[in-house]
Amino acid sequence: MRRIGIFGGAFDPPHAAHSALVRAAMGDLKLDELRVIPTGYAWHKARPLSPPQHRLAMTRLAFADMPGVLVDDRETRREGPSYTVDTLRELRSQWPDAELFLLMGEDQARALPSWRAWQEILQLAIIYVADRGDWNKSKPRFVAPKVYESRFKRLQMPHLPVSATDIRTRIATHQSLEDLVFESVARYIDHHHLYQTA
Ligand code: ATP
């Protein structure tokens, strides 16, 4: 059975914790492929995102050298808000026999009950959650209902206190990005003058 990982996000910009999560998942879950899927219109983020072509280009640079990882642009091509359940339904009809693994950080896991058709998401994919040391834990932890317990799991990876919000602030305030983003991504940001204002 083909094992397909799915990792969605704004990737505004992609950073070191995103790549650590992808590396951990590739190894631990024995994935045949992992699809990194930048969101089109993020209904759940308060601020407007950078244009999709920039986020896609940076995501391609960030994951260029990882075998088995591909950047999938389907959500940026879709009209309207990006719902994970739509993406999973599409992948399920493309690969009816595959096992789908949906990867996310703790902040997204806590928000899961607000996602469209979250129960169906748990039927379509096994969710693996990475801890997030940096994150303000105002929302309660998501506890999967009994029927879905075996489909909601933890991904083992070190806590990395990195966020795209912090990176954007660092750029706007001329602080170093060392070890936070790939060189190629840092060059892209510089070249296109992204995130110049906080
Ligand atoms: P922002 O700060 O703009 O909200 P972000 O750093 O959370 O962005 P996203 O692109 O929104 O980055 O995240 C994509 C996915 O990566 C989400 O599931 C998120 O939980 C996860 N993620 C981001 N940073 C980390 C981290 N430091 N540790 C674990 N997971 C993370």
Side-chain angles (χ1 to χ4, degrees), residues 125-169:
I126 299 179
I127 295 182
Y128 271 84
V129 181
D131 259 327
R132 245 192 118 146
D134 63 325
W135 189 69
N136 117 46
K137 302 187 166 90
S138 52
K139 281 201 187 90
R141 201 166 208 166
F142 175 77
V143 181
K146 266 240 164 316
V147 280
Y148 298 123
E149 251 170 22
S150 63
R151 303 192 60 82
F152 188 79
K153 304 186 172 197
R154 311 299 305 180
L155 182 69
Q156 294 313 320
M157 75 165 229
H159 287 187
L160 289 174
V162 183
S163 73
T165 304
D166 174 51
I167 289 168
R168 293 191 299 271
T169 306

Side-chain angles (χ1 to χ4, degrees), residues 56-158:
L56 256 177
M58 291 187 285
T59 308
R60 290 198 169 110
L61 290 170
F63 294 100
D65 295 329
M66 287 196 199
V69 178
L70 52 105
V71 176
D72 180 327
D73 67 357
R74 71 182 68 221
E75 289 192 1
T76 62
R77 284 188 282 105
R78 197 183 294 150
E79 290 288 315
S82 296
Y83 292 116
T84 301
V85 71
D86 294 336
T87 302
L88 292 174
R89 284 175 187 152
E90 278 177 24
L91 291 168
R92 167 59 67 229
S93 60
Q94 273 177 272
W95 287 279
D97 300 324
E99 186 78 90
L100 304 180
F101 296 87
L102 178 65
L103 314 169
M104 64 181 70
E106 179 65 32
D107 56 319
Q108 294 304 315
R110 288 180 188 229
L112 195 61
S114 68
W115 288 21
R116 172 174 281 199
W118 63 267
Q119 291 96 334
E120 187 183 340
I121 291 178
L122 278 159
Q123 286 158 20
L124 288 163
I126 299 179
I127 295 182
Y128 271 84
V129 181
D131 259 327
R132 245 192 118 146
D134 63 325
W135 189 69
N136 117 46
K137 302 187 166 90
S138 52
K139 281 201 187 90
R141 201 166 208 166
F142 175 77
V143 181
K146 266 240 164 316
V147 280
Y148 298 123
E149 251 170 22
S150 63
R151 303 192 60 82
F152 188 79
K153 304 186 172 197
R154 311 299 305 180
L155 182 69
Q156 294 313 320
M157 75 165 229

